[in-house]
Amino acid sequence: MAATQEALYGRLDLALSWSEAELPERERTKHVHRLHPYLGKFVPQLVEELLRRYVEPGGRVLDPFAGSGTTLVQSLESGHDAVGVDVAPFNCLLMRVKTAAYDVEVLRRDLGAASARAEEFAWDGEPPAQASAYVREWYAPRAAAQLLAFRASLEGAESADVLRVVLARAARSARRTTHFDLDFPRAPQTEPYLCRKHRRVCRPVEEARRFLLRYTRDTRARIEAFADARRSGSSAAVLHGDARVLELGGPFAGVITSPPYPGLIDYHEQHRYAYELLGLSRHGDDELGRPANGLSRAAIQAYVEGVADVLANARRALLPGAVVCVVVNDRRELYPEILRRAGLRLETRLERHVNRRTGLRAGEYFESVLVCRAG
């Protein structure tokens, strides 16, 4: 028999559950957290509360499934050094840009110059000869020319990585796709269409300049806002590689992480435009739970073993008594086995309600925070 709503809500940790009114989008996406769209990340306020509860002041923090860097950013804001690991090169680029310490004057100079070049660029009316097959398929000729010209202007800039993230964000918005299908578009949209998002007929994007200009301004503002919010003296390191076998450093005073779910998100494919335009290497075969692997018994077992190996590697880098917080919706009940294999003992399980704004995601959603220690 399903639990009643009263029983379900009675188990919630209300300090970890926020309504839209309590935690509006502008707070969930404050400063660098919205530097680039990213599916499957947890809200920074959750990390902030877990740091407060479970990590000693100033203690070093590890996230072995660091994704877009939420744990790292909130660690810096809370006065902790942090290390994040991810197998996806674009994720690592995004994390480095979010967590780096900047000379604000250099940042303003470089982004101002890039914005001016994007404003002044004049398209000659011809499809760019250097465009790859992907760029030719997914971008209108004017948009492709503007994006490639912006890319060519990055070399030599001190803030080149910041500008690469601006380019990726603009490339995401400038694709020939519908407004309501930006996450995983299946095919280019080349004709006008009835838009579910705007409830009117919309046309595919024809140019990228407005996105380049808008995101250059927005990126500068967000990095400067985070420079004011982060604690002085704290730093973050980003490690690119497979956290099952990578040397993590340490020792760490705590782990706060949210592993990928099996069969749900391809973390390389959601940013394919970035890999194509930035020339990044792809390591999708090393992703745990990759949708292409399916949900067969063998695939689920490989996922269990992989996540357990990552957590076991993290456990070996911990200080004695340090806490491992794993945020997960364990509807397949895989984590008792994962924790056992990782050599972790479940100390307590906190339940939280997750606010879901997107109308296409029907039904209520809940997550668990598994608070563990070595044992």
Side-chain angles (χ1 to χ4, degrees):
M1 179 182 295
T4 65
Q5 188 174 57
E6 182 178 357
L8 195 60
Y9 277 82
R11 297 199 298 264
L12 294 180
D13 187 322
L14 297 180
L16 301 179
S17 305
W18 298 274
S19 67
E20 181 67 21
E22 293 169 324
L23 191 61
E25 184 183 16
R26 67 178 180 275
E27 293 299 322
R28 301 195 303 273
T29 59
K30 60 183 180 177
H31 49 67
V32 293
H33 289 299
R34 199 170 193 166
L35 217 55
H36 189 284
Y38 189 92
L39 293 177
K41 61 183 180 181
F42 44 22
V43 295
Q45 288 75 16
L46 174 61
V47 177
E48 187 175 14
E49 178 62 17
L50 295 177
L51 287 169
R52 187 191 67 79
R53 291 188 190 187
Y54 297 113
V55 182
E56 61 186 25
R60 198 157 170 247
V61 179
L62 171 67
D63 186 348
F65 295 103
S68 67
T70 303
T71 295
L72 274 63
V73 170
Q74 284 312 117
S75 294
L76 295 177
E77 191 172 323
S78 300
H80 299 270
D81 289 348
V83 173
V85 185
D86 207 276
V87 74
F90 181 71
N91 294 0
C92 292
L93 170 66
L94 184 56
M95 285 191 279
R96 290 190 180 107
V97 169
K98 286 182 177 183
T99 59
Y102 294 93
D103 181 321
V104 173
E105 292 306 315
V106 171
L107 182 73
R108 291 174 178 174
R109 180 200 70 199
D110 287 354
L111 270 63
S115 183
R117 288 192 295 268
E119 184 77 63
E120 295 165 359
F121 174 75
W123 181 45
D124 63 9
E126 295 295 326
Q130 70 272 36
S132 66
Y134 175 87
V135 171
R136 290 195 301 271
E137 181 180 16
W138 283 94
Y139 297 93
R142 181 191 298 272
Q146 291 165 338
L147 292 169
L148 294 176
F150 192 89
R151 182 181 70 180
S153 72
L154 304 184
E155 299 307 319
E158 289 186 53
S159 308
D161 279 350
V162 177
L163 292 168
R164 288 185 179 98
V165 171
V166 172
L167 174 61
R169 189 177 175 192
R172 180 181 186 272
S173 296
R175 288 172 299 172
R176 286 170 155 169
T177 185
T178 60
H179 293 133
F180 52 82
D181 194 22
L182 285 169
D183 293 332
F184 292 104
R186 294 179 178 84
Q189 180 72 37
T190 58
E191 300 294 333
Y193 59 95
L194 184 60
C195 181
R196 293 202 305 260
K197 181 177 180 181
H198 298 119
R199 298 184 180 181
R200 58 180 170 83
V201 174
C202 289
R203 295 180 178 275
V205 174
E206 292 293 325
E207 61 98 26
R209 182 169 63 180
R210 71 177 187 270
F211 299 116
L212 291 166
L213 298 177
R214 180 192 308 168
Y215 297 150
T216 300
R217 292 192 299 269
D218 184 69
T219 296
R220 171 185 154 180
R222 289 182 179 279
I223 288 176
E224 291 185 8
F226 182 54
D228 292 335
R230 66 188 291 170
R231 299 272 189 94
S232 61
S234 298
S235 63
V238 177
L239 305 180
H240 174 229
D242 188 334
R244 289 173 286 191
V245 296
L246 200 65
E247 173 57 49
L248 301 176
F252 298 100
V255 170
I256 297 177
T257 194
S258 183
Y261 294 173
L264 190 59
I265 298 174
D266 186 321
Y267 288 91
H268 280 71
E269 189 61 28
Q270 73 160 309
H271 300 133
R272 183 178 175 187
Y273 50 87
Y275 286 90
E276 295 282 350
L277 279 165
L278 300 179
L280 300 173
S281 60
R282 298 182 64 133
H283 299 265
D285 289 344
D286 295 327
E287 283 186 12
L288 297 178
R290 188 184 184 200
N293 295 338
L295 294 171
S296 66
R297 182 175 299 178
I300 293 297
Q301 186 60 31
Y303 170 84
V304 166
E305 293 172 2
V307 175
D309 287 346
V310 171
L311 295 179
N313 195 23
R315 173 183 54 77
R316 290 188 286 269
L318 292 176
L319 290 167
V323 165
V324 176
C325 294
V326 182
V327 180
V328 66
N329 178 295
D330 190 22
R331 65 184 183 87
R332 298 180 187 276
E333 299 183 352
L334 304 177
Y335 272 81
E337 175 66 9
I338 288 173
L339 297 182
R340 185 191 68 79
R341 285 175 170 268
L344 295 172
R345 169 178 50 83
L346 181 64
E347 188 171 271
T348 187
R349 180 174 183 143
L350 309 173
E351 304 295 336
R352 64 181 298 265
H353 178 261
V354 180
N355 181 41
R356 307 181 79 167
R357 295 178 65 255
T358 306
L360 296 177
R361 296 176 180 173
E364 293 193 281
Y365 188 74
F366 300 89
E367 282 178 339
S368 301
V369 180
L370 309 179
V371 181
C372 314
R373 296 183 196 270

